[in-house]
């Protein structure tokens, strides 16, 4: 951005450090990072259990791992949507 040009979204460009941007996004939508962390945990656990899967085929194990990870993410995003609807419609002060 040139020195004489104003930022398009000043509230988003005021914070320059990555940590402050991440904290701001976490406060705005807390269930997205929770879903991402859960996805990483499910995949990590699935890869750890890959060694001890017994007689199960690898493709079947990977499909189960994918479904569990996607289910966690969809569940977290659904909770986030319900939370934001609750916050906007129920907790919103009457005008």
């Amino acid at each position: 951005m040139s020195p004489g040009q104003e930022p398009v979204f000043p509230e988003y460009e005021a914070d320059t450090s990555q940590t402050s941007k991440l904290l701001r996004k976490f406060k705005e939508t807390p269930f997205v990072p929770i879903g991402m962390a859960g996805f990483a945990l499910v995949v990590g656990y699935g890869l750890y259990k890959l060694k001890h899967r017994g007689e199960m085929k690898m493709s079947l194990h990977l499909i189960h791992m994918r479904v569990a990870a996607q289910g966690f993410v969809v569940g977290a995003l659904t909770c986030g949507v319900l939370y934001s609807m609750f916050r906007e419609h129920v907790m919103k002060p009457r005008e």
Side-chain angles (χ1 to χ4, degrees), residues 1-10 13:
M1 181 170 12
S2 65
Q5 189 177 11
E6 291 183 19
V8 178
F9 298 108
E13 296 182 15

Side-chain angles (χ1 to χ4, degrees), residues 20-60:
S20 61
K21 288 181 183 178
L22 183 64
L23 289 174
R24 180 179 46 81
K25 286 302 252 182
F26 187 73
K27 287 178 184 176
E28 289 175 4
T29 56
F31 287 96
V32 173
I34 291 170
M36 291 169 50
F39 175 81
L41 288 173
V42 168
V43 169
Y45 179 73
L47 290 176
Y48 173 74
K49 294 302 265 182
L50 186 65
K51 187 189 297 185
H52 307 291
R53 69 181 185 276
E55 296 295 320
M56 185 185 293
K57 290 183 178 181
M58 180 182 277
S59 62
L60 188 60

Side-chain angles (χ1 to χ4, degrees), residues 33-95:
I34 291 170
M36 291 169 50
F39 175 81
L41 288 173
V42 168
V43 169
Y45 179 73
L47 290 176
Y48 173 74
K49 294 302 265 182
L50 186 65
K51 187 189 297 185
H52 307 291
R53 69 181 185 276
E55 296 295 320
M56 185 185 293
K57 290 183 178 181
M58 180 182 277
S59 62
L60 188 60
H61 178 76
L62 293 175
I63 288 171
H64 288 168
M65 186 175 62
R66 178 186 64 89
V67 168
Q70 282 181 332
F72 193 91
V73 171
V74 169
L77 292 177
T78 303
C79 288
V81 167
L82 292 174
Y83 173 71
S84 65
M85 287 174 57
F86 176 77
R87 189 175 56 188
E88 287 178 14
H89 297 294
V90 176
M91 300 298 288
K92 184 177 180 180
R94 300 288 176 184
E95 295 175 359

